[in-house]
Structure formats: C-alpha cells, structure tokens
Amino acid sequence: MNIVVVKTLIHSVCLAWLGIEYYQAITDSGIADPVEQVIHFTGKGALNLVIFTLMLTPLARFFKTNKPILVRRLMGLYAFFYAALHLLSFFAFELAFNFNLLMQELVERPYIWVGAGAFIILFALAVTSFHKAKKLLKKRWQSVHNLIYLGVLLAWLHFFWSRKADLLEPGMYLAVILLLLALRWKKIARIFTLKNTK
Ligand code: HEM
C-alpha cells in the first residue's frame, strides 16, 4: 500500500476516534461518567499507540521492508498527542486547573508520579523526533530514543497501579510489552552493559 495512503489512514483513525470520544463526552450522550471516559480513552490510546510504535521495527525486520519504519515517527507523535490530551483532560475536567487539588491527588494517587515519568519521556522523544534534533544530538539521539523502553514500562506500571481490581487486562498488556522488549534483548543488554558507549 502507498505510504501516503497509510499515513492518511493513521491521521484519520487517530483524529476521528478522538473527535467521537470528546463529542460524546461534551454532548453528554448517555455516558455515565464522561470525564472518566475521556481520561481512560486517551490514557489507553496513548499506551496502545506506544505499543504499536514498538511493533513497527520487528515487523520491518520480519517482512524485510522499511515501510513500517516510515510511519514510526507519526505513530510516536500520536502517542505523545494522546498522552498530552490525557494529562490535559485530567487537569482541566477532573481538577478544574486547581493546583491545590493537584497536590492532593499527587499524595492520594502515587501512580500519577509514574504516569508523569512516562509523559516526560514521551515529551523528550517528541521534541527530539525532528530531523534537526537528530543532526544536533548525533550519537546521543539514539540514547535519548532508547528511553522508550523505560517509558513503556512506566506507562504500563501507571496503568496497572490505577486499576484497583481487574488484573487480566494489564496482565495481557504486560505480556505484549515483554515480548516486544524480548525481541530487542540484544540491544537492551548492550544498553545495560554500556557496550554501545565504546
Ligand atoms: C502526568 C501525566 C499523567 C497523569 C496526571 C495521568 C493521570 C491518570 C488518571 C487520573 C487516570 C485515571 C485512573 C482512575 O480512573 O482511577 C489514568 C489512567 C490511565 N493512564 Fe494516565 N496519567 C498520566 C500519564 C499517562 C501516560 C503517559 C500514559 C500512557 C502512555 C497513561 C496511560 C494511562 C492508562 C492506560 C490509564 C488507565 C485507563 C483505563 O483504566 O482504562 N497515563 N491516568
């Protein structure tokens, strides 16, 4: 399939889905808790998009084509966009931009700190995803982008921790994440043994 068509499809799905969710929440169309609905939708969307992004390199290797790599940056940016809306929806709709409430939430819901860690990583990856940043950071660019492995684990921990009951879904997500990390075990082992800094 033509890459322009694939990119248009990614834009359409990511934006249309968001539009429908926010429209339903704003127009209050029969949803029990619209605020919770958008927070959960954007959070889950961000995590799913990070996982899809991590699937692209193994797919490219398996099918011996660079096509999945051509949409990797776009998918990563959508993961960040969803995460930014997740954070913004929480701060705007649940806390009404009240900093005192935010302080209270940070004490009562420690998993928010973990989510913030994942968000900072996604932010760093998004701002360094441009060609200019790649040229500027040179060898360090790869080290920055290796943070995605920590980011996906933090995002999962945040998800798991936020779920009081129902551990089946987070368990399934963990299995997929561990499989994706296992497919990169050589690279991850190099990061830990710092062999790549030679
Ligand atoms: C400062 C950053 C963040 C804040 C303040 C935040 C806040 C929250 C809150 C309040 C919830 C709802 C928990 C509940 O209903 O009990 C939640 C759930 C969730 N968040 Fe975040 N989050 C942040 C970052 C992230 C990031 C970066 C990701 C993913 C990449 C993420 C993924 C999720 C997921 C998957 C859920 C569970 C949704 C569900 O149960 O359906 N969050 N977050």
Side-chain angles (χ1 to χ4, degrees):
M1 206 193 286
N2 184 301
I3 199 66
V4 179
V5 176
V6 177
K7 283 189 175 179
T8 311
L9 216 72
I10 294 173
H11 282 298
S12 312
V13 172
C14 290
L15 294 175
W17 218 326
L18 262 183
I20 293 167
E21 282 297 324
Y22 277 93
Y23 176 78
Q24 285 181 343
I26 289 164
T27 54
D28 216 353
S29 39
I31 300 169
D33 187 341
V35 171
E36 190 182 271
Q37 169 96 0
V38 286
I39 292 174
H40 282 209
F41 172 78
T42 47
K44 196 74 89 52
L47 181 57
N48 287 338
L49 284 162
V50 171
I51 291 174
F52 287 148
T53 309
L54 284 172
M55 281 177 181
L56 296 172
T57 304
L59 273 178
R61 284 209 190 112
F62 186 79
F63 291 107
K64 295 188 172 46
T65 167
N66 77 330
K67 282 206 171 121
I69 305 298
L70 300 178
V71 294
R72 197 171 53 180
R73 178 169 168 263
L74 181 63
M75 294 276 274
L77 284 175
Y78 266 116
F80 168 67
F81 183 50
Y82 268 61
L85 287 177
H86 175 63
L87 170 59
L88 194 69
S89 300
F90 171 64
F91 199 36
F93 304 141
E94 194 156 325
L95 306 185
F97 297 108
N98 184 325
F99 274 92
N100 292 334
L101 271 183
L102 177 65
M103 293 303 135
Q104 211 175 306
E105 289 286 344
L106 286 172
V107 174
E108 282 169 13
R109 304 202 227 183
Y111 63 82
I112 288 178
W113 290 96
V114 183
F119 182 76
I120 290 167
I121 290 177
L122 289 185
F123 176 77
L125 302 191
V127 295
T128 57
S129 71
F130 299 92
H131 189 64
K132 227 176 174 180
K134 199 170 186 173
K135 268 178 79 179
L136 221 79
L137 288 169
K138 291 178 189 135
K139 266 181 143 182
R140 272 174 299 165
W141 187 88
Q142 191 54 57
S143 310
V144 173
H145 281 253
N146 287 342
L147 283 172
I148 191 59
Y149 308 131
L150 175 63
V152 72
L153 287 172
L154 288 179
W156 175 81
L157 181 61
H158 167 76
F159 171 36
F160 168 72
W161 203 342
S162 77
R163 286 279 177 102
K164 284 96 204 169
D166 170 36
L167 300 181
L168 181 70
E169 205 186 356
M172 287 184 336
Y173 269 82
L174 182 62
V176 174
I177 291 168
L178 290 181
L179 175 70
L180 290 170
L181 295 183
L183 290 172
R184 297 163 162 91
W185 69 272
K186 274 189 190 163
K187 184 179 176 189
I188 293 172
R190 268 204 311 274
I191 297 169
F192 276 103
T193 54
L194 299 176
K195 275 187 194 155
N196 61 337
T197 58
K198 272 186 193 172

